[in-house]
Structure formats: C-alpha cells, structure tokens
Amino acid sequence: GTIILGSTIVKTYFSREDELENDITPREIQHLADHQRLVDYMNAISRLLQRPVELTRENYQDAFDVLMVANGEDLSFPIG
C-alpha cells in the first residue's frame, strides 16, 4: 500500500509473515514538519502493534543499521 504523510510517500508491504516494511525516500523529508509526521506515524504503528518500530538504513543487516526506534511515545537513537 501507499501512505502519504505530507510530502513523504511511504510504500508499505509485508516482506515476511512477521515483518512490515515501510520504504521512504529520505530526500522527501525536507522540513521539520515532514520529520514530525514520520515520527508520529512510527509511534502510531508502534502503539497499534504494541511493539517497537525501527527506522533503519536501506538493506538493513544488523543493529548498526538502526537509526531510530519508536516505542509508543518514546524515541531512542541507538548508537551503532
């Protein structure tokens, strides 16, 4: 499916039975409001699924590729 968050287009699909992927184009996030919409979306998905949601680099391989974790209303920025 496709979700539009202001100027950011999120392509979403199941990559595995237990994993939902959301692809974004980082250059579409040009303003603080764009970033906030993405964070709000991640927090909403986290609350809905009752589990953390990770923002990772493209072709995620390991924990070093995790850039941000949304867990309900909490954000963390792991140091890889």
Side-chain angles (χ1 to χ4, degrees):
T2 300
I3 299 167
I4 298 174
L5 304 173
S7 62
T8 306
I9 297 171
V10 181
K11 296 288 188 176
T12 183
Y13 55 92
F14 287 97
S15 58
R16 294 190 328 228
E17 180 179 301
D18 63 341
E19 183 173 287
L20 176 66
E21 266 194 48
N22 294 275
D23 288 339
I24 63 167
T25 301
R27 68 179 158 266
E28 292 177 349
I29 300 174
Q30 298 180 4
H31 305 283
L32 184 56
D34 298 329
H35 178 263
Q36 189 60 53
R37 280 189 283 272
L38 179 62
V39 168
D40 291 346
Y41 169 74
M42 290 177 62
N43 278 328
I45 296 297
S46 175
R47 286 191 306 274
L48 181 67
L49 299 178
Q50 297 182 343
R51 58 187 297 179
V53 173
E54 298 176 340
L55 177 67
T56 65
R57 299 178 196 277
E58 184 71 21
N59 299 319
Y60 169 74
Q61 297 295 319
D62 57 35
F64 292 110
D65 293 323
V66 176
L67 304 174
M68 180 173 65
V69 178
N71 195 356
E73 295 299 322
D74 297 323
L75 289 179
S76 59
F77 303 89
I79 298 173

